[in-house]
Amino acid sequence: MFSLKKEFGEKEKKFDRKKFAQVLSISLVVGFLFATAVRIWFVFPFVPETEEMSPALPKGKRIYISRFVRDSSLFLGDVVLVAHPTQKGKVALVRIMGKSGDQISIKDKVLYRNGTSEAQEKSDFSLQFKDARPAFSGTYSSRDNLSNLTVEDRNYFLLCDNRDDCVDSRDFGPIPFEKIIGKVL
């Protein structure tokens, strides 16, 4: 049909494999560096190894943790990953149940925040898993009966959803903001 004639002095363009390989390799290196930077500084995958947050976050299910966390971006009900305060190199996946200035108490396994039980609070989250055992007396277990505790500035009271099978703020007290590694997306 139509034929294009080459103008005088114009070279025929060939596919330059060497140039293509250079552009491709540079693109792959830049992409790898970008993905690595995102993984290190912003978001990373995490797989819970225990049932402490079941069934909301079951054991073995991959979740993503955002490292970009500020004190002002944490709310009641958020699930966070924290450096374990008593076991070096360990982490805990827990839910924020009390913030700075809150009065926390536990009576017969029921959490009270500022005098209101968690069952009475209208919130977007709820206890996902009920405790299977009855409450122990206060002399036997402070986990089931905790007297009034005021959460200090830049500290958080953290509890697991599956409270019978975890270690949380009932055992080691409120956690400072600096121990929070990230927030579940």
Side-chain angles (χ1 to χ4, degrees), residues 16-29:
D16 188 358
R17 290 178 191 235
K18 193 174 188 179
K19 180 96 170 162
F20 177 74
Q22 286 176 338
V23 170
L24 181 63
S25 62
I26 290 171
S27 299
L28 289 174
V29 168

Side-chain angles (χ1 to χ4, degrees), residues 31-183:
F32 177 76
L33 292 174
F34 179 74
T36 303
V38 167
R39 165 86 166 70
I40 291 172
W41 290 304
F42 297 108
V43 176
F44 65 95
F46 180 77
V47 179
E49 297 174 354
T50 62
E51 294 287 338
E52 57 193 23
M53 290 301 290
S54 287
L57 301 171
K59 177 181 177 180
K61 180 184 178 192
R62 180 181 296 210
I63 57 176
Y64 291 91
I65 308 289
S66 170
R67 286 189 192 263
F68 191 67
V69 178
R70 294 185 316 253
D71 194 28
S72 61
S73 68
L74 296 174
F75 302 101
L76 290 174
D78 286 346
V79 178
V80 293
L81 186 69
V82 298
H84 201 285
T86 60
Q87 298 176 5
K88 190 173 184 172
K90 298 275 186 172
V91 294
L93 194 61
V94 288
R95 188 177 300 276
I96 296 174
M97 297 304 286
K99 293 180 74 172
S100 300
D102 286 344
Q103 292 285 327
I104 302 291
S105 64
I106 298 175
K107 293 177 186 156
D108 296 329
K109 298 176 86 168
V110 177
L111 173 75
Y112 290 87
R113 190 176 68 79
N114 299 326
T116 306
S117 74
E118 65 184 329
Q120 294 173 334
E121 288 183 353
K122 294 180 181 178
S123 59
D124 295 337
F125 64 93
S126 62
L127 184 61
Q128 299 294 321
F129 190 85
K130 301 284 187 205
D131 281 345
R133 59 178 174 75
F136 290 116
S137 67
T139 57
Y140 183 73
S141 173
S142 63
R143 290 174 53 89
D144 294 341
N145 295 290
L146 181 68
S147 61
N148 284 342
L149 169 90
T150 302
V151 181
E152 295 176 9
D153 191 35
R154 291 181 53 90
N155 281 277
Y156 295 90
F157 191 81
L158 309 170
L159 293 176
C160 300
D161 285 355
N162 191 351
R163 294 184 187 164
D164 280 340
D165 299 329
C166 73
V167 177
D168 51 29
S169 286
R170 296 172 297 171
D171 301 301
F172 43 71
I175 298 292
F177 174 75
E178 291 74 27
K179 292 270 188 189
I180 295 176
I181 297 169
K183 177 179 168 181

